[in-house]
Amino acid sequence: MMPWYAWAYLALLALIGLGNFAAGLRGGRRMVVAVLQLVAVAVIALGVVLFYRGSGAGLGFMAALFIAVLVQARKSVADAAELRERDLAPAARVGVALGGLALLPGIALGGLAAWAQQGG
């Protein structure tokens, strides 16, 4: 059984993923890239579920989590370059930074789920 704060975190991840998806489409990103980033956030959310479930995080999930982290890292680099280029308000910069930082606990929980599944 997942605690209430895990459900709240999953809701936050859903908001981040959908917000990034909508912002990417409005900003002119290709549909494939926007969907790939949305799927990456979904894999991170799955890591949270697998951590609290205690099973199911096999090699396939580990590979998907690794790719999701690479996609999010690439997105962070692209966002930073865009923020420098467009000279947006400080609030926009803080929002982008907090959105990226909010994904880190999910990545950690997914990694812990995979580690525990492998007998670590």
Side-chain angles (χ1 to χ4, degrees):
M1 184 82 174
M2 285 190 4
W4 66 269
Y5 51 84
W7 287 106
Y9 184 61
L10 287 175
L12 176 67
L13 288 177
L15 288 173
I16 289 171
L18 293 173
N20 287 343
F21 180 74
L25 291 181
R26 270 184 286 140
R29 274 197 185 115
R30 294 184 323 204
M31 177 67 90
V32 173
V33 173
V35 168
L36 185 63
Q37 292 170 349
L38 183 63
V39 169
V41 174
V43 168
I44 293 170
L46 177 64
V48 173
V49 172
L50 293 176
F51 175 78
Y52 285 103
R53 189 171 134 193
S55 65
L59 289 175
F61 172 74
M62 286 192 293
L65 183 63
F66 180 74
I67 293 169
V69 169
L70 291 178
V71 167
Q72 288 302 319
R74 174 64 184 112
K75 181 190 177 304
S76 294
V77 169
D79 286 347
E82 183 179 350
L83 288 175
R84 277 192 304 271
E85 178 182 298
R86 293 180 55 195
D87 194 34
L88 295 176
R93 293 173 188 248
V94 169
V96 169
L98 289 177
L101 287 174
L103 297 175
L104 292 178
I107 293 169
L109 289 175
L112 287 172
W115 179 66
Q117 182 71 30
Q118 298 304 315

